[in-house]
């Protein structure tokens, strides 16, 4: 156990601090990520890429900074940016899910073509996984693609496609091999969202905002080279992507940052002449969450150490999403309670909506439930933990109830 | 930066676990637990051979001079086997008291005897521990009077250390001294007893060499809290391992019960609580060598969080065992009670969290 940084890491920390001091004022607002990056965000992204604070380990030929992976460096950068409240760069599904997937299983041509524009924020991706009839049971996807005149012809419907209304591209899981079994019949295609035959309909969520969409495909043409790995490999590729998604959800930096904001808020918000932090019932909730956030934070450091050593963390990694999303929800719930009746005025739609602190917390609190469900719901996480992590047997197969007729 | 155990620490875990696996099977545990003293001569001499007596004693005084993280690793192994043996007070808090508050002569007199397993010192606090019960002590010259209950590691202790309200500590022999009355009771947790001390002008050696006695006493108390958290961690892990094994063997409705989602999800919930607990305990132990505020918050949060998570895990793991878990037959209850004992000693979760709020100056 040694929580000190090496001199090289201390130097990086110093560099990051002076970078933030000099350029931090150029950063776009943190959080959000629910709209297309604006000019300020794109300029900031360019600066981060140029200095190696973003895409640090992506090869130079693909537009990254080209340094070998040092997980500690990434943690130091993330922590410094998080403490300073400065944007760590664009966070979206293309960057955090598709890019690592292409690096792991894509061809060199695909990496050259897609990674650069994606990490610069020029190409925005959305994820075409869930369907009305296949959510948790992702491999049951029915959206199909047949080959005709050297092109895939896609037909079907996807749901929960966040950012589809402004995305340029979609990574799509669809059925190409109708004669093969459920898991072997899928392929992973890269689909341009401006292709004729795609219709995006906004799906208003419980927050009152259209954070998701339904996406319909009618004879949408996709060039046959826009497939990742081969036909029938879609389930494998999708799982590579999901692995990166689950690492993203449940991030301990976010919890630490949120906890600090909750403490700040409880020190300044009053109820009947008392600060919330002075009211034992609320303070106890805050303290309980502090203990859990600390446990999650050090669990994260432990995983990072194991990853740096090339060890397989097994079940320890599988619990991160379930644990982190639940604590995040309880933290935003505490804040919503501290805001109380005064935090109930709610207009979630429109330019000014995210400037109102209470509205943002209310949105976050509900969005947290979305995160508990998305990327494999908590119940699915528990199956994964139990079966893959603990070696418990799968639920025996059952047949769907017969349709009466 | 490296967050994890060293090779030596992993070896310590492995050798202690191996030793206890062999020397403390269920029937042996039951036999020692029946007496309820939390002490067994044979086990103690075996543990002496394992080298844990001197875990916190500096090498100059015949010990191993290891860190509190090593001690936490040992505590986890002892908790895993519900080992009926003195540890948190006798082998961690007592030597730390002598190191922080004893003068050179006192250190020379006592530390080597702790490291050899010759003396076993129980530790109690008059005030400040945050636990319920009687806790009054006053010093008149070198004569100690008062009444302290809930003293840790008092079963067959040779000596006691009692902390006074001002942070000074008094050391005295457990027997053959006028004015010293020691009564040890079997506790809910039959692997460790509770001891009450009634003192009337008992002759005591004062351990008062610390520059800041109050801070020194607090550091020792927090080290004890980290040990109890580590013990709970081990006990909870043990209950989880037993529940997981049982769920893979027990058949109902022609299926092993672990294939039912209700059971599978319970086990997933337990492991999701348990693994971050381990990181918190490790961190808390490591942090005790660092800045005071960070050390305090870490120890208090670890004690509080393990108290709560331990209770929840103990219940869930018992539930997975169904009716068998509720009986005496499996002996699962020894771990349940071990966790319950650790929760109440040296400050229960609510009390520890309050102290953590004060330490962070959230409240005064």
């Amino acid at each position: 156990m040694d929580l000190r940084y090496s001199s090289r890491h201390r130097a990086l920390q110093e560099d990051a601090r002076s970078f933030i001091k000099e350029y931090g004022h150029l950063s776009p607002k943190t959080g959000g990520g629910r709209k297309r990056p604006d000019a300020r965000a794109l300029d900031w992204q360019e600066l981060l890429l140029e200095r190696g604070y973003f895409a640090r380990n992506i090869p130079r030929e693909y537009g990254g900074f080209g340094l070998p992976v040092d997980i500690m460096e990434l943690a130091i950068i993330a922590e410094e940016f998080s403490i300073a409240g400065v944007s760590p760069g664009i966070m979206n599904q293309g960057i955090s899910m598709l890019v690592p997937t292409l690096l792991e299983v894509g061809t060199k041509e695909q990496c050259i073509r897609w990674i650069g524009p994606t990490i610069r924020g020029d190409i925005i991706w959305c994820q075409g996984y869930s369907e009305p009839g296949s959510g948790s049971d992702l491999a049951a996807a029915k959206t199909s693609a047949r080959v005709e005149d050297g092109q895939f012809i896609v037909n079907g419907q996807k749901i929960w496609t966040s950012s589809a209304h402004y995305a340029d591209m979609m990574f799509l899981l669809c059925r190409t091999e109708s004669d093969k079994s459920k898991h072997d019949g899928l392929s992973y295609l890269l689909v341009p969202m401006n292709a004729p035959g795609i219709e995006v309909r906004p799906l208003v969520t419980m927050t009152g905002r259209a954070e998701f969409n339904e996406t319909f495909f009618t004879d949408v043409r996709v060039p046959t080279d826009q497939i990742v790995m081969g036909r029938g490999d879609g389930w494998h590729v999708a799982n590579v992507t999901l692995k990166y998604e689950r690492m993203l959800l449940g991030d301990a930096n976010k919890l630490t940052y949120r906890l600090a904001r909750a403490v700040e808020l409880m020190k300044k918000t009053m109820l009947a002449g008392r600060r919330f932090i002075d009211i034992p019932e609320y303070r106890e909730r805050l303290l309980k969450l502090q203990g859990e956030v600390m446990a999650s934070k050090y669990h994260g450091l432990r995983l990072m150490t194991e990853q740096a050593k090339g060890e397989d963390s097994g079940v320890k990694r599988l619990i991160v999403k379930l644990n982190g999303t639940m604590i995040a929800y309880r933290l935003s719930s505490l804040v919503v309670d501290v805001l109380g009746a005064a935090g109930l005025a709610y207009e979630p739609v429109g330019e000014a909506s995210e400037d109102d602190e209470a509205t943002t917390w209310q949105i976050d609190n509900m969005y947290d439930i979305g995160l508990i469900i998305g990327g494999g719901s908590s119940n699915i996480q528990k199956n994964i933990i139990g079966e893959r992590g603990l070696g418990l047997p799968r639920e025996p197969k059952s047949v769907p109830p017969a349709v009466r007729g | 930066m490296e967050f994890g155990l060293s090779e030596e620490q992993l070896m310590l875990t492995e050798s202690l676990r191996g030793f206890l696996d062999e020397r403390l099977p269920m029937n042996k545990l039951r036999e020692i637990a029946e007496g309820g003293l939390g002490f067994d001569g044979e086990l103690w001499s075996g543990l002496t051979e394992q080298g844990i007596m001197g875990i916190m004693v500096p090498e100059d005084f015949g010990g191993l001079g290891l860190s509190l993280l090593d001690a936490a690793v040992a505590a986890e192994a002892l908790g895993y086997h519900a080992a009926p043996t003195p540890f948190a007070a006798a082998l961690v808090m007592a030597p730390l008291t002598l190191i922080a508050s004893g003068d050179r002569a006192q250190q020379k007199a006592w530390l080597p005897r702790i490291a050899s397993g010759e003396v076993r010192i129980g530790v109690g606090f008059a005030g400040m521990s945050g636990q319920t019960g009687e806790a009054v002590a006053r010093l008149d010259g070198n004569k100690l009077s008062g009444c302290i209950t809930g003293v840790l590691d008092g079963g067959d202790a040779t000596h006691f250390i009692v902390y006074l309200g001002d942070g000074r500590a008094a050391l005295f022999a457990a027997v053959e001294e006028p004015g010293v009355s020691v009564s040890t009771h079997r506790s809910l947790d039959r692997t460790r007893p509770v001891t009450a001390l009634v003192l009337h002008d008992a002759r005591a050696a004062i351990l008062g060499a610390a520059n800041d006695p109050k801070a020194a006493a607090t550091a020792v108390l927090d080290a004890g809290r980290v040990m109890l958290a580590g013990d709970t961690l081990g006990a909870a892990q043990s209950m989880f391992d037993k529940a997981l094994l049982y769920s893979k063997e027990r058949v109902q409705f022609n299926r092993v019960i672990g294939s039912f989602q209700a059971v599978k999800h319970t086990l997933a919930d337990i492991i999701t609580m348990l693994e971050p607990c381990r990181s918190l305990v490790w961190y808390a132990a490591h942090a005790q060598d660092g800045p005071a505020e960070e050390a305090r918050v870490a120890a208090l949060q670890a004690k509080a969080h393990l108290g709560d998570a331990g209770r929840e895990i103990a219940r869930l793991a018992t539930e997975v065992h169904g009716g068998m878990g509720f009986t005496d037959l499996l002996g699962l209850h020894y771990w349940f009670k071990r966790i319950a004992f650790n929760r109440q000693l040296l400050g229960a979760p609510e009390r520890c969290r309050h102290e953590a709020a004060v330490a962070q100056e959230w409240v005064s």
Side-chain angles (χ1 to χ4, degrees), chain B residues 126-305:
Chain B
M128 84 187 273
S129 76
Q131 67 189 43
T132 58
E134 296 278 332
V136 215
R138 108 188 108 69
L139 204 56
D140 184 9
N142 67 344
K143 305 273 192 202
L144 186 66
S145 300
C147 175
I148 303 103
T149 60
V151 173
L152 203 55
D153 287 353
D156 215 49
T158 59
H159 298 78
F160 286 96
I161 286 173
V162 165
Y163 270 97
L164 298 150
D166 62 8
R168 283 181 303 164
L171 192 159
F172 54 91
V175 282
E176 296 163 20
E177 287 282 337
V180 177
S181 152
V182 180
S183 48
T184 293
H185 304 275
R186 295 198 299 180
S187 81
L188 169 80
D189 169 19
R190 289 289 197 255
T191 65
R192 285 162 309 165
V194 282
T195 295
L197 299 171
V198 180
L199 307 163
H200 291 290
D201 289 332
R203 210 152 50 86
I206 313 304
L207 307 171
N211 289 330
D212 183 347
K214 199 101 194 199
T218 305
V220 168
L221 174 60
D222 284 348
R225 286 169 167 157
V226 175
M227 291 307 109
L228 295 184
D231 193 277
T232 290
L233 172 66
Q237 179 73 51
S238 183
M239 291 191 84
F240 168 75
D241 288 353
K242 290 173 170 68
L244 181 62
L245 195 67
Y246 188 77
S247 80
K248 290 178 177 177
E249 287 170 352
R250 169 76 173 163
V251 173
Q252 286 286 277
F253 305 101
N254 299 318
R255 291 160 60 179
V256 292
I257 61 169
S259 70
F260 289 103
Q261 284 189 327
V263 175
K264 188 181 292 172
H265 287 193
T266 299
L267 291 162
D269 282 333
I270 297 179
I271 198 71
T272 302
M273 265 186 274
L274 186 57
E275 281 298 344
C277 282
R278 179 161 290 111
S279 306
L280 182 59
V281 168
W282 289 354
Y283 164 70
H286 179 75
Q288 298 311 302
D289 295 328
E293 185 195 314
E294 198 179 324
R296 289 235 66 206
V297 174
L300 290 159
Q301 284 288 13
K303 175 72 167 70
H305 184 57

Side-chain angles (χ1 to χ4, degrees), chain A residues 354-396:
Chain A
E354 293 202 8
D355 294 336
D356 181 61
E357 194 182 21
T359 301
T360 306
W361 277 109
Q362 298 286 7
I363 293 172
D364 277 345
N365 184 234
M366 287 181 273
Y367 205 80
D368 284 341
I369 296 181
L371 295 178
I372 287 172
I373 298 166
S377 73
S378 281
N379 286 324
I380 291 294
Q381 297 303 319
K382 290 179 192 180
N383 281 351
I384 293 172
I385 293 165
E387 289 162 17
R388 288 191 217 157
L390 304 176
L392 290 166
R394 290 176 62 94
E395 194 84 356

Side-chain angles (χ1 to χ4, degrees), chain B residues 60-138:
Chain B
D60 291 354
F61 296 101
L64 298 171
L66 297 179
S67 71
L68 204 65
L69 179 57
D70 296 280
V73 164
E76 186 186 341
L78 295 170
Y80 191 89
H81 291 274
T85 185
F87 183 73
L91 300 183
V92 177
M93 292 161 82
L96 288 180
T97 299
L98 283 152
I99 292 165
S101 303
D103 60 31
R104 184 80 190 166
Q106 289 167 328
Q107 292 174 347
K108 243 175 119 174
W110 294 99
L111 287 170
R113 296 167 72 197
I114 293 174
S116 68
E118 180 195 336
V119 296
R120 288 179 299 281
I121 307 177
V123 177
F125 291 85
M128 84 187 273
S129 76
Q131 67 189 43
T132 58
E134 296 278 332
V136 215
R138 108 188 108 69

Side-chain angles (χ1 to χ4, degrees), chain A residues 90-101 241 244-245 248:
Chain A
I90 299 170
M91 291 285 271
N92 60 34
Q93 294 181 322
I95 287 168
S96 53
M97 295 162 67
L98 179 74
V99 167
T101 302
T241 306
Y244 291 105
E245 180 174 33
L248 178 74

